[in-house]
Amino acid sequence: MGQVRVARVAVDVPLPHLDRAFDYAITDEQADDVRPGVRVRVRFAGKLRDAWVLELADSTDVERLAPLERVVSPEVVLTAATASLVRAVADHWGGTFSDVARLAVPPRHAASEAAARPERPEPAVGESSGVLAGFPGGERYLAGLSEGRPLRAAWNPVPVADAPGDWSGGVLDAAAAVLGAGRGVLLVVPDADALTHLGSRCAAVFGAGSFTTLSADLGPAARYRNFLAVARGDVRLVLGTRGAVFAPVADLGLVVVWDEGNDALAEPRAPYPHAREVAALRAGAEHCALLLAGYGRTAEVEALAQRGWLVPLAHEAREVRRLGPAVRIASADDRAEDRDPAARAARLPHDVFGAIRAGLASGPVLLQVPRAGYAPSMACQGCRTPARCPRCAYPLRGERGGVLVCTHCGPLPGPWSCPECGDARLRAPRVGVRRTAEELGRAFPQVRVVQSWSGHLVDAVGDEPALVLATPGAEPVAEGGYAAALLLDTGLLLGRPDLRAAEEALRRWLGVCALVRPGSRGGTVMAVGEPDARALQALVRLDVAGFAAREYAERVETRFPPAARLVQFDGPRAALDEAEAAWRPVPGAEPFGPVPLETTGEGETWRLTVRCPPAHGDALVAGLKGVVADRLSRKAHGALRLQVDPF
């Protein structure tokens, strides 16, 4: 064809068989506004659809081009680097460009585009706080960042309340080195609390207004206004939660992901990418530096370290123990009821009460309880058999005052005894925050009791003696650090039916250690559980690297992620049978199933799980995505769901 003005666009249609670029003609009136990255409207399959311009061309293979309907906005919201990242993420996780672009670019807010652009000061880069430089290899890493080198590292700060600066100090050291070199910085955190803390530190170090934040909590107007500031190049320092990992930072020099094992960094919408992996993909594609940080270390990061793709920045375990709190284990079976009436009342080990008393002598004491409720279930004290109603066999639950209640039959008319061993004593194996607070309030009647859980959060407590009970992730910060912390019911976190249960439990326990004073000031952490549990042993030694290495070795032996790519394919049995032609040619592919999941009004849903070596993962994902695309194009019956390396 002759010379024509062509816009190659990605249409916002989340259908795999339409996951490609389409050509449209640019009219004379649109010529000045059409640029790569702008939003347009196109007529597609008889309907008006949103689309993004990917590139401009002078020719096309299409004989008759439909024109663009209109340019929605001349703002470039999808840069070439972001579009490339969106494509890579979609291919890696088996999604579509449209699915990922919605995660990367917030909805348009026209008033924000028309608003005046405020003046933003440059970040004031001063001297480093010295936090990151105090770790082995830290000085070399910072020097490389200052020179603009794309260095990649994993950092594990010491989990203690008054280390030389907290985790944000090390993150800002890395950011300052890159900002001083004149490049952009992107800092990603898992939740609003971490974002607020990091924002206050950035304001103190770099100056108010020198950075912007990206978070869904901001609301549509503020989020889009801040996004435009980044896209226009008005700001070089960007902070945000998981979606910010796609932020179009100009001349990006560093991406930091804090608390990289936190499941809040995993996107709950298709195609379910994790910010840690997206950051790694982006660092490789844009040749920028990367810092994956956290008190714990995931098997995914350990795999990258063992490959030499990134370098660990961490103290030896012996030095971490010297700087951190003292950690001990109290056996869950050692109640010592004959020695301590309080232990008999609260069903806690004797050593726990000793630790509480010692801690209260110098400050607040934190107790982490895995559940927020009162007493979810009861069990026999002697043989641990779950207590069930003698009439309907439904689990019995306790109420205030010790009355046993069946949710079907109501209160028990008489005493209960175990049908297995005859013991009449009961215990609550999964006691929640409220029940534990009630029991400890009776054991320590003169001490203030504070409770914190989701929906009832307490941000901070003072340095006066108090019992602070919280669920994981809801622990308040104590002024000056906690004198002691108790980790109760550790077996509940370790016993979850989850590949990452031990890894996640250790991450949460290390987060508690980070709230406690160092051992040199009497700070103590006591975990109640089985002493031979590997995660608890790693906690006692504060050996993050050793635990991650053993965890990864087990993944290699059992062929689970990250030592393999794992793909779950849910749909009707016919679709799973068709999928065999896609996964069978992949070298090393190994199927599990299909197994039935559920039956709905649309029919029965089955699940096929296929794993293969990481080197062939892209071929496996592409093949199964092709099955989805083919069935959708034929309008075959049944909903389909593809999930790669489910978190």
Side-chain angles (χ1 to χ4, degrees):
M1 296 185 64
Q3 293 291 314
V4 294
R5 288 175 293 185
V6 177
R8 200 149 285 145
V9 308
V11 184
D12 189 6
V13 178
L15 297 174
H17 62 289
L18 299 176
D19 188 23
R20 59 185 178 85
F22 294 88
D23 289 353
Y24 283 83
I26 303 172
T27 66
D28 293 338
E29 294 79 10
Q30 299 164 346
D32 292 337
D33 292 331
V34 177
R35 291 176 294 168
V38 302
R39 284 187 172 102
V40 294
R41 293 278 281 177
V42 299
R43 188 164 295 280
F44 187 85
K47 296 182 179 180
L48 285 177
R49 304 276 189 179
D50 291 324
W52 295 273
V53 176
L54 299 179
E55 60 177 322
L56 303 182
D58 294 328
S59 62
T60 179
D61 295 332
V62 182
E63 292 186 3
R64 293 187 58 187
L65 285 183
L68 298 173
E69 289 293 325
R70 65 185 178 91
V71 179
V72 175
S73 167
E75 293 281 355
V76 176
V77 293
L78 189 69
T79 64
T82 303
S84 178
L85 178 64
V86 167
R87 182 71 270 166
V89 170
D91 292 342
H92 185 84
W93 275 277
T96 65
F97 188 96
S98 175
D99 287 335
V100 182
R102 290 198 198 102
L103 305 177
V105 182
R108 180 175 181 251
H109 192 269
S112 297
E113 292 183 350
R117 296 166 66 169
E119 290 287 336
R120 292 183 177 271
E122 279 289 305
V125 181
E127 294 185 1
S128 168
S129 69
V131 173
L132 202 57
F135 284 76
E139 288 188 356
R140 186 188 309 174
Y141 181 70
L142 292 174
L145 296 184
S146 299
E147 297 168 0
R149 297 168 59 192
L151 303 182
R152 301 181 292 264
W155 176 49
N156 298 119
V158 178
V160 67
D162 67 348
D166 66 357
W167 62 268
S168 62
V171 168
L172 296 191
D173 285 350
V178 175
L179 291 170
R183 303 189 67 186
V185 173
L186 174 59
L187 309 178
V188 181
V189 295
D191 53 44
D193 289 341
L195 184 60
T196 300
H197 173 71
L198 188 60
S200 64
R201 289 297 309 277
C202 283
V205 173
F206 300 123
S210 63
F211 61 93
T212 194
T213 59
L214 294 174
S215 170
D217 295 338
L218 293 173
R223 182 186 177 197
Y224 190 65
R225 182 168 60 250
N226 292 355
F227 176 85
L228 284 180
V230 180
R232 291 167 173 172
D234 294 343
V235 62
R236 291 193 293 126
L237 176 57
V238 180
L239 289 58
T241 49
R242 62 173 178 258
V245 74
F246 294 97
V249 181
D251 191 19
L252 183 63
L254 172 68
V255 181
V256 178
V257 179
W258 166 250
D259 200 9
E260 49 89 12
N262 196 314
D263 57 8
L265 292 170
E267 177 59 51
R269 294 170 292 179
Y272 319 105
H274 193 287
R276 176 188 57 229
E277 271 70 45
V278 176
L281 285 173
R282 187 167 188 181
E286 300 187 37
H287 304 288
C288 66
L290 176 69
L291 184 63
L292 301 177
Y295 292 121
R297 185 186 299 178
T298 59
E300 283 76 9
V301 168
E302 179 64 20
L304 296 176
Q306 291 193 17
R307 284 169 44 197
W309 194 82
L310 52 73
V311 176
L313 305 177
H315 289 301
E316 293 291 335
R318 180 181 300 177
E319 179 68 5
V320 178
R321 287 195 296 273
R322 186 184 71 83
L323 298 173
V327 183
R328 294 183 291 149
I329 298 177
S331 173
D333 292 328
D334 181 18
R335 294 309 193 282
E337 296 178 0
D338 56 336
R339 290 178 288 160
D340 195 336
R344 185 186 312 118
R347 301 183 301 280
L348 292 174
H350 171 78
D351 290 347
V352 167
F353 287 86
I356 291 175
R357 293 189 187 97
L360 289 174
S362 58
V365 174
L366 173 66
L367 292 95
Q368 186 195 70
V369 185
R371 301 178 66 96
Y374 188 70
S377 63
M378 307 298 291
C380 172
Q381 177 68 28
C383 67
R384 305 299 195 261
T385 299
R388 297 184 177 275
C389 175
R391 290 173 289 189
C392 69
Y394 203 77
L396 295 174
R397 301 179 183 273
E399 285 192 341
R400 290 176 175 84
V403 178
L404 282 175
V405 174
C406 170
T407 55
H408 284 185
C409 306
L412 254 62
W416 176 90
S417 62
C418 178
E420 298 295 329
C421 68
D423 198 329
R425 298 174 301 163
L426 284 163
R427 64 189 294 267
R430 295 181 292 177
V431 177
V433 165
R434 288 180 291 167
R435 173 66 178 270
T436 307
E438 183 179 293
E439 294 174 338
L440 291 177
R442 291 196 296 265
F444 300 93
Q446 305 302 319
V447 180
R448 183 169 71 101
V449 178
V450 178
Q451 303 177 45
S452 178
W453 64 83
S454 179
H456 185 270
L457 293 176
V458 177
D459 294 329
V461 295
D463 59 357
E464 67 278 359
L467 287 172
V468 181
L469 288 89
T471 54
E475 301 91 352
V477 176
E479 181 181 343
Y482 287 98
L486 289 305
L487 306 172
L488 306 183
D489 299 326
T490 58
L492 289 182
L493 291 180
L494 293 175
R496 293 184 304 119
D498 189 319
L499 175 67
R500 298 172 176 86
E503 183 180 271
E504 172 66 7
L506 181 59
R507 184 188 71 82
R508 291 186 177 275
W509 297 337
L510 291 169
V512 170
C513 292
L515 301 174
V516 180
R517 303 167 187 171
S520 59
R521 291 178 49 206
T524 302
V525 176
M526 179 174 285
V528 180
E530 300 300 328
D532 58 350
R534 193 174 69 196
L536 286 176
Q537 286 296 317
L539 178 67
V540 170
R541 298 191 303 270
L542 293 177
D543 185 11
V544 172
F547 177 83
R550 287 187 293 273
E551 186 76 12
Y552 177 58
E554 281 196 354
R555 306 277 185 90
V556 172
E557 183 177 351
T558 56
R559 296 186 64 200
F560 277 114
R565 290 294 293 278
L566 196 69
V567 183
Q568 286 182 347
F569 189 29
D570 298 349
R573 180 60 188 266
L576 273 55
D577 292 340
E578 291 177 15
E580 183 172 357
W583 62 258
R584 183 68 70 181
V586 176
E590 184 180 5
F592 298 88
V595 295
L597 290 181
E598 60 180 350
T599 302
T600 65
E602 297 183 358
E604 193 170 30
T605 299
W606 292 68
R607 169 168 293 172
L608 172 68
T609 303
V610 184
R611 69 181 177 190
C612 73
H616 305 294
D618 290 345
L620 175 63
V621 173
L624 293 178
K625 180 181 173 182
V627 175
V628 177
D630 178 67
R631 287 185 62 85
L632 286 174
S633 66
R634 293 187 283 110
K635 298 183 179 179
H637 177 74
L640 300 171
R641 181 173 182 261
L642 187 68
Q643 190 166 5
V644 179
D645 293 340
F647 194 72

